Amino acid sequence: AAGVIQSPRHLIKEKRETATLKCYPIPRHDTVYWYQQGPGQDPQFLISFYEKMQSDKGSIPDRFSAQQFSDYHSELNMSSLELGDSALYFCASSWLDRGQITDTQYFGPGTRLTVL
Amino acid sequence: AQKVTQAQTEISVVEKEDVTLDCVYETRDTTYYLFWYKQPPSGELVFLIRRNSFDEQNEISGRYSWNFQKSTSSFNFTITASQVVDSAVYFCALTHQAGTALIFGKGTTLSVSS
């Protein structure tokens, strides 16, 4: 079965540089989520989109922005990178069944960002 | 506010032992959803199970079983006859609505030795 695709899988940047992470959801999924996981920590929710509209917002820094495109893929843009941004960034996607209130989030393999 | 507590930080067992991972949650929502995810050393997050707040039926899937008790706000996960491949970090998570954040516990690191 097709899974969530994230690119790149690894990224090394210098402080103050910018980075763009991409996420391609499972086919037919209409909602994407972004999470940040620091070393030894649990994933922290950043932001989510449903049908190209922001659905929920978490602890996403102002230096970060994200959007979902018409083909449902999403991009997370990160500017003025700091050492503390080094983490594993997960994208998840979901599809809401008719009659259900919630959905199951399926995660991609993650992008490991290292800021030097 | 929603909160998930996994009090066990690390558990070490020997192969074939049974092990239970505890999860306690807090929420003011009357409808909510609980999840378990597995994160093996390779780093991906693998979905294991979803349980709705209005369905307290326990579930068994092979060597895995889940015990949901609303009275104690717990959603515990038991692995029977553990195997080395079960070594991973296991996260319990909570949400109340589609499109919104999953609130994760801190995770329990399970190490299974041969």
Side-chain angles (χ1 to χ4, degrees), chain A residues 100-104, chain B residues 25 30-35 49-57 59 68 70 75 95:
Chain A
Q100 297 291 321
I101 299 176
T102 198
D103 46 4
T104 296
Chain B
Y25 62 92
T30 54
T31 300
Y32 52 89
Y33 302 82
L34 296 162
F35 300 78
I49 190 172
R50 179 180 106 191
R51 175 60 70 219
N52 307 329
S53 58
F54 44 86
D55 179 7
E56 286 195 72
Q57 191 170 13
E59 184 159 338
F68 176 35
K70 288 180 73 172
F75 185 42
T95 190

Side-chain angles (χ1 to χ4, degrees), chain A:
Chain A
V4 177
I5 297 173
Q6 291 188 246
S7 67
R9 294 292 308 279
H10 301 272
L11 190 59
I12 299 175
K13 291 287 186 178
E14 299 279 342
K15 280 172 54 178
R16 291 180 289 278
E17 286 190 326
T18 61
T20 297
L21 309 185
K22 297 185 178 182
C23 170
Y24 297 87
I26 293 171
R28 291 181 63 211
H29 282 197
D30 53 16
T31 306
V32 293
Y33 308 77
W34 286 98
Y35 291 82
Q36 176 192 61
Q37 186 180 30
Q41 299 182 2
D42 56 296
Q44 295 294 313
F45 173 72
L46 295 177
I47 196 166
S48 61
F49 294 87
Y50 167 69
E51 290 288 347
K52 301 177 285 289
M53 298 291 290
Q54 182 179 304
S55 177
D56 192 13
K57 187 174 181 180
S59 51
I60 183 169
D62 292 340
R63 299 177 290 108
F64 294 6
S65 65
Q67 59 180 322
Q68 184 181 31
F69 295 86
S70 57
D71 63 351
Y72 296 105
H73 93 274
S74 178
E75 295 184 2
L76 177 65
N77 297 294
M78 311 160 72
S79 63
S80 302
L81 287 169
E82 303 173 356
L83 296 178
D85 295 329
S86 294
L88 188 56
Y89 289 83
F90 285 108
C91 172
S93 74
S94 69
W95 177 67
L96 187 63
D97 291 329
R98 284 186 183 277
Q100 297 291 321
I101 299 176
T102 198
D103 46 4
T104 296
Q105 296 180 30
Y106 294 92
F107 285 77
T111 293
R112 187 167 297 281
L113 173 66
T114 303
V115 181
L116 302 176

Side-chain angles (χ1 to χ4, degrees), chain B residues 68-111:
Chain B
F68 176 35
Q69 292 195 342
K70 288 180 73 172
S71 60
T72 56
S73 298
S74 65
F75 185 42
N76 296 337
F77 173 29
T78 297
I79 301 175
T80 303
S82 60
Q83 300 176 1
V84 173
V85 292
D86 295 327
S87 296
V89 180
Y90 290 87
F91 289 100
C92 181
L94 168 71
T95 190
H96 71 282
Q97 185 178 325
T100 62
L102 274 173
I103 306 301
F104 285 86
K106 296 299 182 186
T108 297
T109 300
L110 174 64
S111 298

